[in-house]
Amino acid sequence: LQITVLGTPAEEEGGGKIDLIKAGAFDDLDVVFMAHPSQENAAYLPDVAEHDVTVKYYGKASHAAAYPWEGVNALDAAVLAYNNLSVLRQQMKPTWRVHGVIKNGGVKPNIIPSYTELEFYLRAPSVKDLSVLTEKVENCFKAAALATGCKVEIKGGEQDYYNVLPNRSLENVYKENGKKLGIEFISDDCVLNGLSGSTDFGNVTFVVPGLHPYFYIGSEALNHTEQYTEAAGSQNAQFYALRTAKALAMTALDVIFKPDLLEEVRQDFRQVKLREEGQLNPV
């Protein structure tokens, strides 16, 4: 019997857990647990697959008033790319997300910009859906280059984040233990079936059965805001974090001392993974 506490840095950018997968850090593990703070308690929320992309347009500088016809406007390409994506949204599935920024839009108003740069995140419920979305988005970037005469460089992130695979057996046991500790789990279908963020823990769940619950920290503030940062560091939040840790520990003990449960967890893992890979019909 071995219990491993594994530090996994660079979740938000870089995909540290993916590097650890490649290094074999999860090879000998039966189950993996982690928890994420939120506005509600849920044993599972649908974290989605994510691909990030950096787009660079190269044009030709020229004086914007004296002889603009000599220039090739890279800012026009960036603006067209942004607008192409806005037009594409009408044909996007409701579960797709595309969001980004223009990181570099030129230098001076009187100079035709010769270089611009955009950064976008693409999200979809599954890796398969994400590849379809990525192709459509990249065509928008390429079309902008063609229309303006710019050269385009499209560079995807080194590591895509996979969607988190559910494991109903683990989730049910976690909820049972959480309720014993006074955790009230959300029942709102809009939240439970809606989209969440993305995490490199999704990649882990394709390798080993995983549990990734969300937990309330005593604040109604939204994640990734200044208010949530303050709430997460407050003394009040420590109670909720420790309670969640205890529920996870109780669930781990159930897995250790109930061999039948571990087999159920493994069976869930195999079935969900096969279904995700398109080898089984959706339930």
Side-chain angles (χ1 to χ4, degrees):
L1 171 64
Q2 179 175 325
I3 297 175
T4 301
V5 179
L6 183 63
T8 57
E11 176 185 67
E12 292 292 340
E13 188 167 350
K17 295 182 187 65
I18 305 171
D19 289 330
L20 289 169
I21 290 171
K22 294 176 181 177
F26 299 96
D27 287 354
D28 298 323
L29 302 183
D30 293 299
V31 292
V32 178
F33 298 165
M34 71 167 284
H36 195 291
S38 184
Q39 291 75 49
E40 60 277 313
N41 293 297
Y44 172 83
L45 291 178
D47 286 286
V48 297
E50 187 270 342
H51 171 76
D52 58 77
V53 59
T54 299
V55 183
K56 299 178 181 180
Y57 290 106
Y58 299 93
K60 179 184 175 184
S62 182
H63 196 287
Y67 28 85
W69 53 85
E70 293 293 337
V72 178
N73 197 320
L75 179 57
D76 283 348
V79 171
L80 279 178
Y82 197 99
N83 287 335
N84 286 345
L85 292 175
S86 295
V87 173
L88 177 65
R89 292 183 192 281
Q90 187 181 33
Q91 277 71 51
M92 285 186 187
K93 293 181 179 181
T95 51
W96 290 358
R97 297 288 184 271
V98 175
H99 41 94
V101 295
I102 299 176
K103 296 182 67 175
N104 188 324
V107 180
K108 296 278 289 182
N110 64 333
I111 302 174
I112 298 290
S114 62
Y115 172 79
T116 53
E117 181 178 339
L118 305 90
E119 185 174 2
F120 273 82
Y121 289 176
L122 321 180
R123 304 181 197 256
S126 69
V127 177
K128 185 183 297 184
D129 239 19
L130 183 62
S131 65
V132 176
L133 174 60
T134 298
E135 182 180 1
K136 291 178 180 292
V137 169
E138 288 186 353
N139 284 338
C140 289
F141 295 141
K142 293 173 183 176
L146 180 63
T148 57
C150 290
K151 295 180 179 179
V152 62
E153 178 184 316
I154 303 172
K155 184 177 181 181
E158 293 184 4
Q159 306 187 123
D160 288 349
Y161 288 9
Y162 294 176
N163 48 301
V164 174
L165 299 181
N167 192 289
R168 299 305 181 202
S169 295
L170 285 177
E171 293 160 22
N172 290 337
V173 174
Y174 173 77
K175 288 176 70 173
E176 290 174 7
N177 288 319
K179 289 175 180 178
K180 294 174 184 176
L181 299 173
I183 297 178
E184 297 181 3
F185 291 94
I186 190 168
S187 58
D188 187 342
D189 287 339
C190 290
V191 176
L192 293 173
N193 298 320
L195 297 183
S196 189
S198 304
T199 169
D200 54 2
F201 189 82
N203 301 63
V204 177
T205 64
F206 276 74
V207 175
V208 60
L211 177 65
H212 185 271
Y214 281 84
F215 65 97
Y216 176 68
I217 64 168
S219 171
E220 301 304 321
L222 299 177
N223 290 53
H224 292 215
T225 63
E226 293 179 3
Q227 294 79 8
Y228 200 81
T229 299
E230 182 178 349
S234 69
Q235 187 60 40
N236 187 43
Q238 306 313 304
F239 163 78
Y240 298 102
L242 290 172
R243 183 173 66 171
T244 299
K246 187 173 182 179
L248 286 174
M250 293 166 66
T251 304
L253 289 173
D254 284 330
V255 172
I256 292 169
F257 293 109
K258 298 178 180 179
D260 290 345
L261 173 59
L262 180 56
E263 183 51 40
E264 290 176 14
V265 168
R266 288 171 172 164
Q267 183 65 22
D268 280 357
F269 170 71
R270 288 190 291 265
Q271 289 183 348
V272 171
K273 188 176 178 181
L274 284 172
R275 187 166 67 242
E276 187 69 21
E277 294 171 348
Q279 298 180 37
L280 288 178
N281 293 323
V283 175

